[in-house]
Amino acid sequence: MFKGSSITVHDVNPEAQVANHGLLKYPHRLNFYDIPPTFDVTIEEFETCGLDRLRILAEIESSAARNRTAEELKDVTLKQNNKYLPLNMSKGSNGETDGERRRDHLSHFVLRLAFCRSEDLRRRFVKAETTLFKVRYDTDLGPERASFLSSRNFNWIPVESEEQKRFSQELAAAYQGNRTETGRPEKEKYYKVKWTRVPDLVERRKVFLKGGWAYVPSRELSSIIFQEFEDHLQKALEMTARLLPRLDEDTRLVPILDNLSQGFLAGISAEWTSAADAGNAENIKAEQIDGIAKKHFPLCMRTLHENLLRDHHLKHFGRLQYGLFLKVLGVSIEEAIVFWRKSFSLMTDDKFNKEYKYNIRHSYGLEGKRANYAAKSCMQILTPGPSDHGCPYRNYSPENLQTALLSTYSQQGLRAADLPEIMASVKTQHYHVACTRVFELTHSSFGVGRGEGISGENVTHPNEYAARSMELARPKDEEMVTE
């Protein structure tokens, strides 16, 4: 329900309306998100919180697609979490604990609305959210985690000492556990749950099964907790999906949810809006663009550049996408006009001035409503459209893409043996992961290793790719000039 420029957030699960979490403090850092937020928030906060959480979840999914180890995944997730949705411990907090947990609470339910609308989105959301919960659980302080666990009923049954003694050999065979200095197994407390609640432990043969019950050692109780979180979220998403049409949605809300649901496609990044952001204090001259393109551009912009050289022309949306990219990269309006005029060499000056010069000035905010247009991000480029200005990783056939990659980047170190890994990411629609891997392979001579990408994250913006590439090459270029 909207109130002016704000929105009151409610879950669509009526059973969850039994309490008003907006009037309560947040006693725990961990959260099963049973109770929806019912406080007023502005539309801006609604969208910002959703985007911040999506940045974390998108990086989690990208890490899984890149087969990062469990420790690498944990490190990346913690880094993203601390950057976008920090959650301090209650003990020794900086006084902002409740506000941080409020944003975490709100952001989860914003994305729950966005990702409940298809089975694939629900599956991906549950997987990423469960990973985020696991990382937070593993890094939570012991006493705070124990307090959270005692606040919930996980329906596990403590195994009595007599029963534990009766099955001691079977329990010892199923779970080795830690051992004392004498080599004997440490005493372990066991709990019984239905075996279907711990499929991961059953698969790894780490529990004793008897009569449909799984005997779970206390050290492995986290498996029950994680499975409970996943099942609970899956059911909540399905109920939200069934009841979503009942919501009286404002037309301002639907585009936000649509934009968020597209976020997994290319990750989410901050807008790359100025040449200063790109790390280029100096202006790029028109005659430098071709050389820079061949060394530093991502495949989407390299393709546009090559098409422009070949045809001496680009269609409207191709010109818009490439022109804004060059603008943000550091090409001034004067140099842009020189570059485009030279590129459109088959037409007369009169035709160029009448039909194209105005649009170039418009994109720089010098005509029309004089807006400062941002360059297109990967998510915007990945929106389905004509192949001449879209994402090659998405639009090209596998054969054409491999040919384009080798012809474009072979001189920068890309080999045919690298293609299967890149194409595997393309096949699973992780296009930004494929582009990131190309960046790593073509910049290995600058010390960029596997999994490092753009400052440790995935490519989510063409200007980000080009700016980082130019930044890496700058010390080497300066060294050559000095010599």
Side-chain angles (χ1 to χ4, degrees):
M1 179 175 64
F2 285 92
K3 296 181 178 180
S5 61
S6 66
I7 176 175
T8 302
V9 183
H10 297 277
D11 194 354
V12 294
N13 179 359
E15 296 179 0
Q17 302 292 342
V18 295
N20 187 342
H21 209 163
L23 301 178
L24 298 176
K25 296 294 183 181
Y26 294 86
H28 307 111
R29 179 171 173 262
L30 299 173
N31 196 338
F32 260 55
Y33 307 102
D34 304 287
I35 305 170
T38 54
F39 43 79
D40 287 352
V41 298
T42 64
I43 297 175
E44 181 181 1
E45 183 181 7
F46 182 90
E47 181 176 21
T48 300
C49 285
L51 283 171
D52 283 344
R53 193 178 196 91
L54 185 56
R55 289 185 175 101
I56 302 172
L57 300 188
E59 195 63 35
I60 288 174
E61 185 173 73
S62 297
S63 295
R66 303 182 71 185
N67 294 318
R68 279 174 167 154
T69 65
E71 196 60 34
E72 289 173 338
L73 174 59
K74 180 179 179 180
D75 291 341
V76 168
T77 304
L78 284 175
K79 178 183 176 181
Q80 294 292 94
N81 189 82
N82 293 335
K83 184 177 181 180
Y84 295 111
L85 283 177
L87 280 177
N88 285 299
M89 309 291 181
S90 297
K91 182 178 180 181
S93 67
N94 58 7
E96 299 179 352
T97 301
D98 209 52
E100 292 173 349
R101 295 176 185 181
R102 176 185 178 277
R103 291 191 77 249
D104 173 70
H105 185 207
L106 172 62
S107 65
H108 171 88
F109 278 89
V110 171
L111 293 192
R112 186 182 288 192
L113 285 174
F115 287 93
C116 72
R117 295 181 289 176
S118 75
E119 183 177 351
D120 180 59
L121 286 175
R122 290 194 293 270
R123 176 186 57 81
R124 295 166 71 177
F125 181 65
V126 168
K127 186 175 181 180
E129 277 283 340
T130 302
T131 300
L132 177 60
F133 180 84
K134 288 179 179 179
V135 170
R136 289 175 172 177
Y137 180 90
D138 290 341
T139 56
D140 208 16
L141 293 176
E144 291 197 20
R145 185 166 58 193
S147 175
F148 167 75
L149 295 179
S150 65
S151 70
R152 302 186 60 85
N153 181 11
F154 289 97
N155 295 315
W156 49 49
I157 303 174
V159 178
E160 299 294 337
S161 57
E162 182 179 340
E163 184 179 7
Q164 187 167 328
K165 184 177 181 181
R166 186 165 69 250
F167 297 119
S168 59
Q169 291 185 351
E170 291 86 347
L171 293 173
Y175 183 72
Q176 298 299 322
N178 293 340
R179 295 180 177 271
T180 63
E181 294 180 357
T182 60
R184 295 183 178 181
E186 289 184 351
K187 291 185 178 180
E188 188 71 59
K189 180 65 178 175
Y190 286 83
Y191 297 83
K192 289 195 300 185
V193 296
K194 291 295 183 180
W195 72 270
T196 53
R197 293 183 60 190
V198 285
D200 59 325
L201 295 180
V202 174
E203 182 182 8
R204 290 182 285 150
R205 300 184 179 184
K206 299 196 71 173
V207 291
F208 167 58
L209 300 178
K210 180 71 173 179
W213 293 95
Y215 289 70
V216 182
S218 59
R219 295 178 184 273
E220 299 291 343
L221 285 179
S222 58
S223 292
I224 300 176
I225 299 165
F226 300 154
Q227 189 65 43
E228 185 83 3
F229 179 89
E230 186 174 325
D231 293 344
H232 173 80
L233 181 55
Q234 182 65 45
K235 292 176 182 177
L237 283 169
E238 291 171 356
M239 180 171 288
T240 304
R242 289 196 299 270
L243 298 177
L244 188 64
R246 298 184 188 180
L247 288 179
D248 182 20
E249 294 180 330
D250 188 284
T251 55
R252 295 169 293 177
L253 182 59
V254 176
I256 294 175
L257 297 178
D258 289 340
N259 182 57
L260 290 171
S261 64
Q262 289 291 321
F264 270 150
L265 194 62
I268 297 293
S269 72
E271 289 298 331
W272 212 257
T273 55
S274 70
D277 290 334
N280 297 290
E282 72 282 1
N283 287 326
I284 296 175
K285 303 298 182 182
E287 62 270 17
Q288 295 177 306
I289 294 176
D290 185 58
I292 294 174
K294 293 177 180 178
K295 292 182 180 180
H296 305 296
F297 282 10
L299 187 59
C300 56
M301 297 303 160
R302 182 72 179 270
T303 300
L304 286 172
H305 182 78
E306 296 296 336
N307 290 346
L308 180 60
L309 292 181
R310 183 192 65 215
D311 302 330
H312 302 283
H313 192 268
L314 284 177
K315 295 181 181 179
H316 172 73
F317 288 107
R319 294 197 306 273
L320 179 63
Q321 180 174 305
Y322 191 43
L324 290 174
F325 168 81
L326 293 177
K327 165 195 165 185
V328 173
L329 195 65
V331 178
S332 67
I333 179 60
E334 294 80 13
E335 293 297 324
I337 292 175
V338 171
F339 170 76
W340 286 106
R341 180 64 193 97
K342 182 179 179 181
S343 300
F344 287 2
S345 59
L346 299 183
M347 67 178 62
T348 65
D349 288 339
D350 185 60
K351 181 178 177 64
F352 177 82
N353 291 331
K354 287 181 178 179
E355 299 182 19
Y356 297 95
K357 189 173 181 179
Y358 176 88
N359 289 333
I360 298 171
R361 289 176 55 80
H362 188 278
S363 66
Y364 276 75
L366 300 176
E367 301 288 354
K369 63 179 181 180
R370 301 182 183 276
N372 183 24
Y373 295 98
K376 303 295 183 182
S377 67
C378 290
M379 189 171 72
Q380 293 169 313
I381 293 173
L382 277 164
T383 301
S387 60
D388 68 326
H389 65 274
C391 175
Y393 295 96
R394 176 172 183 160
N395 295 338
Y396 284 15
S397 68
E399 295 77 14
N400 289 344
L401 177 59
Q402 293 180 77
T403 300
L405 286 170
L406 286 178
S407 63
T408 304
Y409 295 112
S410 58
Q411 292 185 355
Q412 293 174 256
L414 189 69
R415 302 170 301 167
D418 300 320
L419 295 179
E421 180 185 2
I422 297 169
M423 298 308 296
S425 296
V426 173
K427 186 177 181 179
T428 56
Q429 299 183 359
H430 291 100
Y431 308 112
H432 61 303
V433 174
C435 187
T436 301
R437 188 60 184 137
V438 170
F439 179 90
E440 293 169 348
L441 291 166
T442 55
H443 291 77
S444 58
S445 62
F446 299 101
V448 176
R450 180 183 178 86
E452 293 183 4
I454 305 291
S455 301
E457 300 175 12
N458 288 288
V459 175
T460 57
H461 201 295
N463 283 92
E464 187 179 26
Y465 184 113
R468 180 58 176 155
S469 178
M470 294 170 69
E471 179 186 345
L472 288 170
R474 190 168 290 122
K476 182 175 291 188
D477 292 341
E478 292 175 352
E479 182 179 337
M480 293 177 63
V481 171
T482 302
E483 293 176 355

